[in-house]
Amino acid sequence: MSKLLTPTEIEQELATLQSWTQAGNQITRTFTLPSFPAALAFASAVGHLAERADHHPDILIQYRKVTLTLSTHSAGGLTEKDFHLATEINAIA
Amino acid sequence: MSKLLTPTEIEQELATLQSWTQAGNQITRTFTLPSFPAALAFASAVGHLAERADHHPDILIQYRKVTLTLSTHSAGGLTEKDFHLATEINAIA
């Protein structure tokens, strides 16, 4: 079971996590891809990482934009799992 | 350029389109798949149909649920294109 991060810990994590922002109990980032097929392929790649981590962001595809939203629902907020997966996603963006 | 449907036409279309509902200028349906990988694969299949039709729904993947939202933004509301693609999507669900 992942431990909820404190507001200070969340701030520290966000400081090193490029382009993600906090929205309440979640972190979110929108990626703009060159095309709709590229957006789909990116969503699929994110899905691969999510399945490997057994941690699943909400994935919203709007034409060539992909918005990811991460939270640890079982813990009721943000945990290391969210920042770990967000870092992995940034690495493939 | 697709022609906006009248409220009566929209009602008629919805009457024969299983499980989609109207929400303002859009139609929407949520599909529940057996798993997250299945949800991703379904989103990808929807994306193929969307690309073929050059008409792109918003696709929201939340674990094993996929919510599709269709509207013809260029026309400012619902057109035949939306109902045509929704019918195609139902056929692969």
Side-chain angles (χ1 to χ4, degrees):
Chain A
M1 180 70 155
S2 295
K3 188 176 69 65
L4 275 183
L5 298 180
T6 66
T8 306
E9 286 169 333
I10 291 170
E11 228 172 87
Q12 284 165 351
E13 292 281 1
L14 281 172
T16 60
L17 183 66
Q18 205 188 340
S19 301
W20 288 73
T21 55
Q22 188 180 0
N25 277 341
Q26 309 178 319
I27 53 172
T28 185
R29 179 175 173 184
T30 298
F31 298 81
T32 302
L33 284 294
S35 66
F36 176 72
L40 265 187
F42 178 66
S44 177
V46 168
H48 168 71
L49 296 179
E51 192 63 9
R52 190 178 66 165
D54 193 19
H55 192 53
H56 303 85
D58 287 353
I59 303 173
L60 174 60
I61 305 164
Q62 293 171 298
Y63 195 47
R64 60 193 191 90
K65 284 196 292 189
V66 178
T67 300
L68 304 178
T69 306
L70 268 165
S71 189
T72 306
H73 299 291
S74 59
L78 290 163
T79 68
E80 278 299 340
K81 289 177 81 166
D82 301 304
F83 289 96
H84 186 79
L85 183 55
T87 301
E88 287 193 333
I89 291 166
N90 275 5
I92 66 159
Chain B
M1 179 71 153
S2 295
K3 191 175 68 61
L4 275 185
L5 298 181
T6 66
T8 307
E9 286 169 334
I10 291 170
E11 227 170 88
Q12 285 167 351
E13 291 282 2
L14 281 173
T16 61
L17 184 66
Q18 205 189 336
S19 302
W20 288 74
T21 55
Q22 188 180 358
N25 278 340
Q26 310 178 317
I27 52 172
T28 185
R29 179 175 174 185
T30 298
F31 298 81
T32 302
L33 283 295
S35 65
F36 176 72
L40 265 186
F42 178 67
S44 176
V46 167
H48 168 72
L49 295 179
E51 192 63 9
R52 189 178 68 166
D54 192 20
H55 192 53
H56 303 86
D58 288 352
I59 302 173
L60 173 61
I61 305 165
Q62 294 172 297
Y63 194 47
R64 59 193 191 89
K65 285 196 291 189
V66 179
T67 300
L68 304 177
T69 306
L70 270 164
S71 190
T72 306
H73 300 291
S74 59
L78 291 164
T79 69
E80 278 300 339
K81 290 177 81 166
D82 300 305
F83 289 96
H84 186 77
L85 183 55
T87 301
E88 287 192 335
I89 291 167
N90 276 3
I92 65 159

